[in-house]
Amino acid sequence: MECFVLGIGGMMPMPGRRLSSVAVRVEGQLYLFDGGEGTQVPYKELHLGLRSLDLIAVSHLHADHVLGLPGLLMLRGQMPDPGPLTILGPPGLARFIRNIRADLRMHIRYPIEIKEWSKDADRLAYRDALVNIFWQPLEHSVFCLGYRMEEHQRPGRFDPDRARELGVPAGPLFGQLQRGQTITTPQGTTVEPTEVLGPTRRGRHMVFATDTIPCRSLVELLDAADIAFVESMFLPDDEEDAREKKHMTAAQAAGAAAEAKVQQLLLFHISPRYERRELKRFADIARSIHPNANVAKEGQIIAIPLPD
Amino acid sequence: MECFVLGIGGMMPMPGRRLSSVAVRVEGQLYLFDGGEGTQVPYKELHLGLRSLDLIAVSHLHADHVLGLPGLLMLRGQMPDPGPLTILGPPGLARFIRNIRADLRMHIRYPIEIKEWSKDADRLAYRDALVNIFWQPLEHSVFCLGYRMEEHQRPGRFDPDRARELGVPAGPLFGQLQRGQTITTPQGTTVEPTEVLGPTRRGRHMVFATDTIPCRSLVELLDAADIAFVESMFLPDDEEDAREKKHMTAAQAAGAAAEAKVQQLLLFHISPRYERRELKRFADIARSIHPNANVAKEGQIIAIPLPD
């Protein structure tokens, strides 16, 4: 699992700071979280390619999170046979896409499935062969979804010595046991995978949480994630602005991540009011609360190792 | 009159090439032509400010020319008391703006007047104290407007020697005559401005023409303009693509500008298929047809001197 930081800005694109968006690659498959005005440019700079982008998850219907979608949809239409695309998001997303397609006569010749999630809906927003994507309602000025992407569990670690003891010769039968199949040894003994595999191992968990005030569902969403991108629009000096505008400070974001025992915290969705040199203050404040915290960096690629 | 090149790309924003947009400043007042995805970023980089941007002219309703408008509208709302904004464009523009404002719940607290121009409408699209903006229908895959901005005529050159001969003393009376007022000399003689002013001098004329195939109304629009930004999406090698997609080659753009006796030609709206090093070929081809031609450059500022 690799996370690609396409931008870390909030509110509007600025010189030197693109809008908040993260792409995640799992075994070659791409998942994109939010796409504001201009997101397709860092997407191209990072050479992510469109062939394996089949899912876009949208947090909420504010311009700085969705105005890049029409461009991404058209870009995806450049390749031959793009295949269907799924877009997750809040109620109103389908209407936004439908209106803009009609008003600008966009030629899109592949199917788009838009799944809108509202307050009482199922928390599993998406499932494919590699991951589940869950969501939680965050607390913002409009209905807003936080996302948690979980890789499927992997089979337990294979014990070759134990297999040999049970009479399994090294070779194709090893592979069958590792893939969870029951086999018969050359001597006619039946061996179950559970006899030679350790406990099931969990996949990697990534959280994308923007925009919100500190709240219970944020902490639940973050629960022990391997990596979490969490909005921190303001410095604690501007906590009143944060409260009024329904955003968080760096301290609040780090507090939620620490409470949830997140492994690695990356702050993003920084207000345009802060210059580049002030990002260090965000990082310092967050690290005083959560030891493995930093401000995400545009163009950064973060590989998440498999847990044991 | 100064022209600011915000971008020269067509179709979609690319790394290192922003979408086609030009801002023009006349005596402190700003006029913006087109705004695709990301235009607000070079707008900020060039420190154009929003205080005096009261007019945006839109060529046509394709994404690469209008998807930056919502961001610009919100940006303009950042300042206190922004005053009304006028947007010129084709039919459907008002619906596009209205839908996107509603779908994204954009908070815009200043009046926006949208003036849609269709085939048989008046060719004078806008008039203020400084300029007239005329339009012509271009020939593209959708209805598309080319724009011509003309500074108002200026009074003729003042002849101080002639004024003194007529008994006018140097001082405030000189200014009154220059401003077109009839005065009385200390000796009681009446002097008319026409007696001391040369022939009325024309203002500067700027043309913004994208997207189109070569056509009669393009040449009419360009007529002897001081500066013209003209689309040339393709090199002549790809003339068939140009014809099919209703765009021009560098040779066709230069041919129209030469026929119309344009003073200075700047090509823009270049296809993403051409890399930066290929822009020189656009310029060379255009210059072989029109001696004062070049490819516009992102961030370029071109001052147009007053004609004699």
Side-chain angles (χ1 to χ4, degrees), chain B residues 123-141:
Chain B
R123 291 291 185 261
L124 176 62
Y126 181 80
R127 181 182 172 82
D128 66 16
L130 298 165
V131 301
N132 286 330
I133 300 180
F134 299 93
W135 71 278
Q136 284 280 352
L138 299 177
E139 292 190 24
H140 191 46
S141 56

Side-chain angles (χ1 to χ4, degrees), chain B residues 196-273:
Chain B
V196 293
L197 294 178
T200 301
R201 291 171 295 172
R202 71 172 185 86
R204 291 158 286 194
H205 299 180
M206 173 270 187
V207 170
F208 179 90
T210 189
D211 301 358
T212 189
I213 53 172
C215 59
R216 184 67 1 225
S217 62
L218 171 64
V219 176
E220 285 172 20
L221 187 72
L222 290 170
D223 182 43
D226 295 279
I227 184 166
F229 294 87
V230 183
E231 81 119 295
S232 81
M233 188 130 181
F234 295 103
L235 284 172
D237 313 341
D238 297 324
E239 191 174 330
E240 210 167 308
D241 279 351
R243 190 165 33 239
E244 190 196 319
K245 293 172 173 155
K246 303 276 190 183
H247 285 290
M248 292 197 290
T249 65
Q252 290 169 332
E259 185 183 344
K261 298 191 169 36
V262 159
Q263 287 290 318
Q264 182 176 3
L265 168 65
L266 286 163
L267 303 180
F268 76 142
H269 202 275
I270 309 294
S271 165
R273 76 173 62 169

Side-chain angles (χ1 to χ4, degrees), chain A residues 154-209:
Chain A
R154 292 165 300 132
R157 209 175 281 284
F158 178 66
D159 183 342
D161 296 336
R162 179 75 189 122
R164 279 190 212 93
E165 281 172 28
L166 294 168
V168 186
L173 292 178
F174 270 33
Q176 289 177 32
L177 283 164
Q178 282 175 299
R179 286 191 296 275
Q181 296 163 19
T182 303
I183 60 105
T184 306
T185 66
Q187 290 76 33
T189 325
T190 297
V191 178
E192 300 286 342
T194 48
E195 295 178 81
V196 294
L197 295 178
T200 301
R201 292 171 294 172
R202 72 172 184 86
R204 290 158 287 193
H205 298 180
M206 172 270 187
V207 169
F208 180 90

Side-chain angles (χ1 to χ4, degrees), chain A residues 58-124:
Chain A
V58 169
S59 62
H60 64 298
L61 279 180
H62 275 160
D64 54 335
H65 296 260
V66 299
L67 265 180
L69 293 182
L72 286 161
L73 298 188
M74 281 185 292
L75 181 63
R76 198 170 177 277
Q78 298 283 305
M79 60 175 172
D81 309 316
L85 175 73
T86 302
I87 311 181
L88 314 176
L93 177 61
R95 189 185 53 205
F96 163 68
I97 301 280
R98 189 172 58 240
N99 280 339
I100 216 161
R101 283 179 71 166
D103 292 345
L104 302 184
R105 301 191 212 180
M106 285 164 55
H107 297 293
I108 295 175
R109 291 187 189 81
Y110 57 86
I112 300 178
E113 187 186 9
I114 298 176
K115 292 187 182 169
E116 296 184 346
W117 300 93
S118 51
K119 211 99 190 166
D120 298 316
D122 189 8
R123 291 293 186 261
L124 176 62

Side-chain angles (χ1 to χ4, degrees), chain B residues 55-59 86-90 93 115 117 125-126 133 147:
Chain B
L55 189 281
I56 301 178
V58 169
S59 61
T86 301
I87 311 181
L88 314 176
L93 177 62
K115 292 188 183 169
W117 301 93
Y126 181 80
I133 300 180
Y147 290 102

Side-chain angles (χ1 to χ4, degrees), chain B residues 65-77:
Chain B
H65 296 260
V66 298
L67 266 180
L69 294 182
L72 286 161
L73 298 188
M74 282 185 293
L75 180 62
R76 196 169 179 278

Side-chain angles (χ1 to χ4, degrees), chain A residues 114 224 235 289 303:
Chain A
I114 298 176
L235 284 172
I289 297 165

